[in-house]
Amino acid sequence: MPRAIVPFLPELSEPLRCERLRILCAVKERVEQVAEAALAVMRAEIPAYAVQDERFFEDVRHQLLSHYRVQLALLVGERSFAPEDLAFSRAAAMRRARAGFALEDWISAFRIGRQVFWEALLDSAGQSAAGQQAALTLVAPLMRYMDYASTQAAQAYLEFQQHVVADADRERRDLLDQLLAGGVPTRGPLLAAAQAYGIGAQVPMMVVVAVCVDGARHGGADADAESGYITSAAIAAAGVRAARVLVVVRHGEVVAVPVLRTGTEPEEVCARFEEVQRRLARDGTVLAVGISTVARGAAELPRAYQEARAALEFVPSGGGVAALPRLSPFQYLALRADDIARQLVDPRISALLDEDVRRGGALAATVRAFAKADLNLRLAAERLQVHHNTAHYRLRRIEERTGRNPRRIADLLELLVALAIRDAAREGEDGQ
């Protein structure tokens, strides 16, 4: 960035120089009216400005007049110009950022101020050929000033926003660390942050942990970090019933703590995060997502966090969502089955199930339907859309091949366990 800016003032003929000076003096005499005109346009075109009070507009008025007077002095040739001359503009940009104005609103205000000033110059130039020609000589120096001034102010605006974002990141991390230690803030900024997210000592919450799958394909550590922040932004935007969600990128994972507002069921939370996972996968960011059961207050969040991390073990290597609230205890135990549990399955049952898979899975479907129908074979046959005799034949065949009678609770339970263990193993193989 140059240390100073010198307005581009081309050599002019004496008549043209005098005409240009006349235009600038005319604008200088009514510069306060020009500033008021710019304020009126801002009120009309920028909704975020329209609702502000007179104290705010007094600040904007001061900014407009400062810019206009600096430009007039430069164009008349009364002064040189250095970056420190725009300290007032940088300070105002930071005030707008601190007040929460969007950058596009601030840019719109800057554009309006420039446009109204230029219209005042044209109006003072009049319709004469000399006036129009003199006005054209002002274009280049005005553009140079506005480019420099807007760049300086935008830089200040973004510097402040980056500072705010960094502070907010630290605050969220500190809040999550305290929550995962089993505590809840009782005072200060962290308490305010917890309240903003709806987090409280007795509030029902869940924990979601997401990690990028095969992060190396994204291009290294920088790209992994970018994926993490893309993920956190998507999760924060998802929300639950339009509520804010605490989301933190930490230790190579994204952790979210959605609060269960009144009327919100765990399934709704699971569905929202499943949709986020699918949307990000379509855009090239593939996640493995683990979702905990409900924590009945902040004291249970450490347990919920460990649950969410454990649930990641159930996600195939190609990514997906493992939501514990969707699992029955039976399904969970089957997914957690180790090699010993698999070895305990009777080889006759394993052989039948393997053969059944190759033949289309009719026997496994019959066992499941029979169990869901509370051992009512006729109802199971209706749900399978087969004849009652067909369902009866299948059960008899299962008994002949395995030595287990599906009509006996103990034998049926053993068959269902074998099916669940087999299904869990197949899901893992499919993911790999």
Side-chain angles (χ1 to χ4, degrees), residues 237-259:
V240 180
R241 293 186 183 271
R244 294 178 64 194
V245 177
L246 173 63
V247 185
V248 178
V249 180
R250 65 194 292 274
H251 309 317
E253 62 188 21
V254 178
V255 181
V257 184
V259 171

Side-chain angles (χ1 to χ4, degrees), residues 20-329:
R20 175 170 164 158
L21 184 59
R22 179 191 67 78
I23 295 171
L24 295 173
C25 289
V27 173
K28 185 176 181 180
E29 288 179 0
R30 59 187 186 96
V31 67
E32 292 187 0
Q33 297 176 11
V34 177
E36 290 300 327
L39 283 175
V41 178
M42 290 178 191
R43 288 179 188 265
E45 296 188 5
I46 307 176
Y49 276 40
V51 297
Q52 302 303 314
D53 57 20
E54 283 306 314
R55 182 178 179 182
F56 169 81
F57 280 105
E58 185 58 36
D59 185 18
V60 178
R61 183 181 294 105
H62 173 73
Q63 295 301 308
L64 287 167
L65 288 172
S66 297
H67 276 295
Y68 290 166
R69 285 166 177 156
V70 169
Q71 290 176 82
L72 289 168
L74 284 169
L75 294 170
V76 171
E78 294 177 350
R79 56 177 293 180
S80 59
F81 180 78
E84 51 267 25
D85 293 322
L86 279 179
F88 69 90
S89 183
R90 290 178 60 87
M94 288 191 175
R95 287 198 296 276
R96 302 294 177 268
R98 185 181 297 110
F101 285 94
L103 180 58
E104 54 265 31
D105 290 334
W106 179 84
I107 291 174
S108 294
F110 215 91
R111 173 188 55 79
I112 290 169
R114 175 191 62 194
Q115 182 64 33
V116 171
F117 185 70
W118 173 245
E119 290 172 355
L121 289 171
L122 288 179
D123 181 65
S124 296
Q127 300 300 316
S128 68
Q132 294 290 312
Q133 186 176 0
L136 289 176
T137 67
L138 297 170
V139 173
L142 277 175
M143 291 297 292
R144 291 186 66 196
Y145 174 85
M146 295 306 301
D147 178 65
Y148 188 85
S150 60
T151 300
Q152 287 278 310
Q155 183 181 26
Y157 188 100
L158 293 173
E159 285 173 357
F160 182 84
Q161 281 197 326
Q162 289 168 358
H163 172 74
V164 169
V165 168
D167 277 354
D169 281 345
R170 284 192 294 272
E171 186 176 80
R172 285 194 296 270
R173 284 196 299 271
D174 291 345
L175 174 58
L176 182 65
D177 287 343
Q178 186 165 342
L179 292 172
L180 295 186
V184 63
T186 57
R187 62 184 188 328
L190 291 187
L191 173 60
Q195 292 173 341
Y197 291 110
I199 294 170
Q202 305 301 321
V203 174
M205 294 167 277
M206 298 167 72
V207 175
V208 180
V209 175
V211 296
C212 286
V213 173
D214 191 17
R217 72 180 180 84
H218 293 293
D222 290 343
D224 286 347
E226 181 180 353
S227 293
Y229 283 102
I230 290 172
T231 301
S232 67
I235 290 175
V240 180
R241 293 186 183 271
R244 294 178 64 194
V245 177
L246 173 63
V247 185
V248 178
V249 180
R250 65 194 292 274
H251 309 317
E253 62 188 21
V254 178
V255 181
V257 184
V259 171
L260 294 179
R261 262 69 178 183
T262 303
T264 301
E265 296 296 329
E267 173 55 30
E268 182 179 347
V269 175
C270 297
R272 294 297 296 270
F273 283 94
E274 189 171 50
E275 174 56 31
V276 169
Q277 194 276 339
R278 289 173 178 168
R279 185 171 71 250
L280 289 174
R282 289 193 297 268
D283 295 336
T285 300
V286 183
L287 301 176
V289 180
I291 303 178
S292 76
T293 61
V294 176
R296 304 295 175 182
E300 295 187 8
L301 284 176
R303 182 264 301 164
Y305 172 69
Q306 294 303 325
E307 286 183 359
R309 285 182 56 83
L312 291 174
E313 299 177 12
F314 305 150
V315 180
S317 60
V321 176
L324 295 185
R326 291 176 170 175
L327 299 179
S328 68

